[in-house]
């Protein structure tokens, strides 16, 4: 079969022949239809992610951890749970029998490309908003790094969940404009000076941010946290639940003691949810897609062009690889 093949950590996958994946009696053979190319694929393949050695214990190997394809009877399914060195950026995939529970039918009427790209991005914000930070109707949400795909989807989901006020940050002018079209109440341009950014954080917070979805980390988050430090002694007057999701602006921050002492700041990771709720969350995302409540910008790329797609920088859209 043809596949995207990695020869070592840090290399760019090449379109090559690769042995068909072996299938045991209870394993499931899937003909691939669509695989979203995510940053997670790139960082694990670079060898810089904590899951890199788990995803790629040996080489050569095929990247891709999930996707959409058809079963032998023609049923369109979304799935995960592949076995290294076989990833999903290939013409065929075998899901081992122990991961059969990670195969689910795609509801009728949903395009395979949308099915591959949208649910994963939606869960990135839906899980922490609904189950991690537990967004309440009317609360104020800040999406730090909102102009990317996940930030745009988070804006849509926050509205569906009843957020009262939504503020987003970003550096892309077109992306900031798109956020306002999606119903975001205010945007903060991170190309401003530090003082201007801090002033904007304070101005747009109103009585305070209840939840922060942080796709950036690094310096922008440091600026944000400085604005929630109380200016008078006493107990915390406002609770801010910050969910750490991405690190596109830096992998570390300087966190002073006073930032936590009486600010009401609570830090949590995006994975701070129970895995048992995943199926419920996915079903809700399917329902929203069918109802036309969620949208995503995508571009289809043939598998044979994987090397070019891998090196391409995109803003505000997902690349979906199709065999």
């Amino acid at each position: 079969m043809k596949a995207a093949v990695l020869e070592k950590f840090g290399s760019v996958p090449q379109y090559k022949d690769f042995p068909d994946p072996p299938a045991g009696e209870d394993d499931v053979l899937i003909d691939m239809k669509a695989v979203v190319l995510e940053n997670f694929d790139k960082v694990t393949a670079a060898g810089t992610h904590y899951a890199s050695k788990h995803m790629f214990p040996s080489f050569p190997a095929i990247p891709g951890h999930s996707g959409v394809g058809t079963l032998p009877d023609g049923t369109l399914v979304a799935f995960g749970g592949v076995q290294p060195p076989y990833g999903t950026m290939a013409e065929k995939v075998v899901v081992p029998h122990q991961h059969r529970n990670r195969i689910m039918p795609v509801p009728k009427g949903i395009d395979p490309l949308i099915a591959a790209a949208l649910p994963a991005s939606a869960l990135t914000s839906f899980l922490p908003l609904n189950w991690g930070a537990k967004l309440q109707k009317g609360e104020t949400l800040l999406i730090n790094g909102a102009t990317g795909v996940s930030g745009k989807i988070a804006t849509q989901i926050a509205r569906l969940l009843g957020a009262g006020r939504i503020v987003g940050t970003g550096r892309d002018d077109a992306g900031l404009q798109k956020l306002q079209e999606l119903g975001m109440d205010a945007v903060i341009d991170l190309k401003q000076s530090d003082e201007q950014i801090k002033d904007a954080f304070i101005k747009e917070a109103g009585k305070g941010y209840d939840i922060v979805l942080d796709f950036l980390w690094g310096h922008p988050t440091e600026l944000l946290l400085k604005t929630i430090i109380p200016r008078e002694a006493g107990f915390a007057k406002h609770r801010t639940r910050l969910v750490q999701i991405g690190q596109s602006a830096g992998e570390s921050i300087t966190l002073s003691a006073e930032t936590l002492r009486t600010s009401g700041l609570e830090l949590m990771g995006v994975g701070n949810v129970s895995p048992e709720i995943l199926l419920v969350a996915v079903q809700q995302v399917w329902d929203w897609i069918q109802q036309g409540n969620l949208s995503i910008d995508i571009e289809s790329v043939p598998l044979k062009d994987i090397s070019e797609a891998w090196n391409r920088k995109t803003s505000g859209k997902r690349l979906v690889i199709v065999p």
Side-chain angles (χ1 to χ4, degrees):
M1 68 176 182
K2 293 293 186 180
V5 182
L6 281 165
E7 297 294 343
K8 62 180 180 179
F9 282 128
S11 65
V12 174
Q14 304 295 315
Y15 182 67
K16 292 183 176 182
D17 289 315
F18 201 85
D20 286 3
E25 182 178 351
D26 295 322
D27 298 336
V28 181
L29 177 65
I30 295 176
D31 286 328
M32 291 304 304
K33 297 299 180 184
V35 184
V36 64
L37 175 56
E38 298 181 298
N39 189 56
F40 175 78
D41 299 306
K42 296 183 180 181
V43 295
T44 51
T48 57
H49 194 276
Y50 60 80
S52 289
K53 291 185 178 180
H54 171 74
M55 300 293 293
F56 301 101
S58 64
F59 291 99
I62 301 171
H65 60 283
S66 62
V68 170
T70 53
L71 301 178
D73 65 3
T75 301
L76 186 68
V77 296
F79 68 94
V82 292
Q83 188 73 37
Y86 292 95
T88 54
M89 294 184 188
E91 293 177 326
K92 300 176 183 178
V93 171
V94 166
V95 176
H97 65 277
Q98 65 267 28
H99 295 309
R100 291 174 70 106
N101 62 339
R102 298 184 61 182
I103 302 173
M104 62 182 65
V106 174
K108 291 186 181 300
I110 297 180
D111 185 277
L113 276 68
I114 296 294
L118 211 165
S121 295
L123 292 174
T124 298
S125 54
F126 183 34
L127 290 173
L129 280 176
N130 204 52
W131 286 278
K134 296 181 172 62
L135 174 71
Q136 303 298 305
K137 291 186 183 300
E139 286 192 316
T140 296
L141 168 69
L142 171 68
I143 305 174
N144 198 25
T147 55
V149 171
S150 295
K152 291 177 182 176
I153 295 175
T155 304
Q156 300 170 60
I157 290 176
R159 279 286 176 242
L160 292 168
L161 294 177
R165 179 172 172 77
I166 307 174
V167 180
T169 73
R171 301 178 61 85
D172 176 57
D173 292 336
L176 292 172
Q177 177 61 39
K178 178 66 174 179
L179 290 172
Q180 292 176 308
E181 295 171 4
L182 289 172
M184 185 166 281
D185 297 289
V187 296
I188 297 173
D189 189 344
L190 295 178
K191 296 192 300 295
Q192 303 177 89
S193 70
D194 286 1
E195 290 305 313
Q196 288 174 316
I197 292 172
K198 287 192 290 185
D199 288 345
F201 276 137
I202 294 170
K203 173 187 174 184
E204 302 300 349
K207 295 181 180 180
Y209 299 112
D210 298 298
I211 296 176
V212 178
L213 294 184
D214 195 311
F215 293 94
L216 298 181
W217 210 235
H219 188 59
T221 300
E222 289 180 335
L223 296 177
L224 168 65
L225 295 182
K226 288 178 181 178
T227 69
I228 69 171
I229 298 173
R231 298 294 177 250
E232 58 186 30
F235 293 101
K237 294 180 173 61
H238 189 83
R239 179 187 178 212
T240 299
R241 292 101 75 196
L242 188 151
V243 184
Q244 209 296 305
I245 301 175
Q247 57 181 56
S248 58
E251 64 178 15
S252 62
I253 65 170
T254 298
L255 182 67
S256 65
E258 64 179 354
T259 306
L260 290 171
R261 192 176 298 126
T262 59
S263 67
L265 176 66
E266 300 175 11
L267 297 173
M268 66 187 77
V270 66
N272 185 33
V273 294
S274 170
E276 286 75 26
I277 54 89
L278 185 59
L279 290 179
V280 175
V282 171
Q283 185 57 57
Q284 178 60 76
V285 171
W286 289 135
D287 291 344
W288 279 333
I289 294 173
Q290 288 184 303
Q291 295 159 10
N293 291 326
L294 292 179
S295 63
I296 185 174
D297 294 326
I298 60 175
E299 179 184 341
S300 174
V301 178
L303 179 62
K304 65 181 179 62
D305 296 332
I306 184 61
S307 298
E308 181 274 331
W310 192 270
N311 286 322
R312 196 193 311 178
K313 292 184 178 180
T314 60
S315 177
K317 67 178 179 181
R318 283 280 190 263
L319 300 183
V320 180
I321 310 301
V322 294

